[in-house]
Amino acid sequence: GSIINFPFTSTDLDNCYDIYGEPFPLIKGISTRSPSTPTQVQEEIVIPPEVVRQLQTDEIDIDHYWCNGNPYLHTKGRKVCFKKTFTCKTEGMKECSKELQSLLKDYDDANIEISIIHRDKAFSSLSPELGSWLNIVALNAHVGCIKRDIRTQKERGRCIIASTPFKCIPKLMCDELQQHISNIENSFPDAQGNIGNLTANNIVLCRGKIDYSKIKLRFGDYYQVHLDTTNTMRGHTVGTIALRPNNDQSSYWFMNLRTGKRIHARQWE
């Protein structure tokens, strides 16, 4: 060879690659972005006419909950069982009204009218501009259905965090985890719903079934994500933590470990 007194053999190097993978300096220095993949056409969702007639109206339950010191607004439909979790700065009604308006738009796009919004006394000053009848439960009482669903939401989150090596997580990861759980549960039929084998995503968002071949990453795993290349000595990748899928095109959200912010990527190592 070209080097004398070298203590390692080619077999040693092959074993090193098998155990540790490709070295980070090589990934950062010589990796290139792969060509864009063609946009994949989603399957058409056919909703039976009897289900369409049954789902012309729905009622939703809403409530706030706290996780790791952060407030969230959780909502769930009673017929469709469509769940959505919003990240909040406070429990203020102005912010809550804004989030609910975006939720009602999702239902409106699916031609479903929300007739009643069930909530507890904490939402008594909620804006009447939402266009739905606001039903307030008795003093010191809570909407039982949404309380039970929030408990399930927290249980799912603890299970996922228990599978990671982290003792604590930043707010961004906690926020993304709450949304990730709701998105996953919307992809499966709910036993409490009235839509048979259809899912909430089928009805409200017109999304098809989960494609297992597109589930590539796990929440909390470490990856080197590809960045836009420059004519400098800056590395082509950055260390990140995987958060959740971004869409049905195999792209994901990540937390950039250099900045602590969320980034979107479709290629990683």
Side-chain angles (χ1 to χ4, degrees):
S2 302
I3 304 177
I4 61 173
N5 298 325
F6 190 64
F8 304 107
T9 65
S10 59
T11 303
D12 294 330
L13 296 179
D14 292 338
N15 291 336
C16 182
Y17 267 80
D18 292 339
I19 296 173
Y20 299 105
E22 190 171 5
F24 281 165
L26 287 182
I27 296 176
K28 289 178 174 291
I30 67 175
S31 60
T32 58
R33 184 181 292 272
S34 62
S36 300
T37 56
T39 301
Q40 302 177 15
V41 180
Q42 302 300 310
E43 62 175 312
E44 183 180 359
I45 306 300
V46 179
I47 302 176
E50 60 273 14
V51 175
V52 174
R53 290 191 296 268
Q54 185 179 1
L55 297 179
Q56 291 180 352
T57 62
D58 198 357
E59 303 174 13
I60 61 175
D61 301 326
I62 66 173
D63 203 356
H64 281 113
Y65 72 95
W66 290 76
C67 183
N68 283 10
N70 306 310
Y72 300 93
L73 175 65
H74 189 62
T75 69
K76 181 180 180 181
R78 293 198 170 185
K79 290 183 180 179
V80 181
C81 295
F82 179 67
K83 305 176 184 181
K84 200 162 186 178
T85 304
F86 299 94
T87 301
C88 302
K89 295 181 180 178
T90 65
E91 290 184 335
M93 292 302 103
K94 183 176 181 181
E95 183 179 8
C96 178
S97 178
K98 179 181 178 181
E99 305 294 4
L100 287 177
Q101 286 176 351
S102 68
L103 173 67
L104 294 178
K105 184 179 184 305
D106 289 336
Y107 277 98
D108 187 59
D109 292 341
N111 296 319
I112 300 176
E113 180 184 356
I114 299 301
S115 57
I116 303 176
I117 298 177
H118 301 273
R119 81 267 200 242
D120 59 25
K121 201 70 175 178
F123 294 86
S124 58
S125 61
L126 193 61
S127 172
E129 300 175 356
L130 295 174
S132 301
W133 185 53
L134 305 176
N135 177 42
I136 304 177
V137 298
L139 183 65
N140 297 326
H142 299 281
V143 182
C145 297
I146 195 66
K147 283 295 183 183
R148 182 63 185 88
D149 203 67
I150 288 175
R151 174 183 168 185
T152 301
Q153 180 93 354
K154 292 182 178 180
E155 290 171 347
R156 301 286 189 271
R158 280 191 289 269
C159 292
I160 294 175
I161 293 301
S163 68
T164 68
F166 308 120
K167 294 183 178 180
C168 60
I169 59 175
K171 182 179 184 299
L172 175 61
M173 289 184 65
C174 189
D175 294 346
E176 294 296 313
L177 177 61
Q178 306 309 312
Q179 297 183 41
H180 182 46
I181 295 170
S182 295
N183 293 341
I184 291 178
E185 293 194 344
N186 285 335
S187 300
F188 293 92
D190 194 305
Q192 299 177 358
N194 299 325
I195 55 178
N197 291 327
L198 294 172
T199 69
N201 278 345
N202 294 155
I203 301 295
V204 180
L205 303 180
C206 295
R207 289 182 181 173
K209 297 179 180 180
I210 294 178
D211 188 346
Y212 186 78
S213 65
K214 296 179 182 178
I215 303 177
K216 301 180 181 297
L217 309 183
R218 187 180 65 169
F219 178 90
D221 283 351
Y222 176 85
Y223 291 94
Q224 286 284 322
V225 164
H226 287 254
L227 304 173
D228 293 331
T229 58
T230 60
N231 293 321
T232 65
M233 291 294 100
R234 190 192 74 176
H236 287 181
T237 64
V238 64
T240 63
I241 299 295
L243 298 176
R244 61 185 175 94
N246 173 53
N247 52 32
D248 296 325
Q249 304 294 329
S250 300
S251 60
Y252 275 75
W253 290 110
F254 297 85
M255 183 180 72
N256 188 329
L257 292 178
R258 185 182 300 166
T259 63
K261 296 183 178 180
R262 190 180 71 162
I263 61 174
H264 170 258
R266 60 175 180 82
Q267 186 179 352
W268 52 82
E269 299 283 350

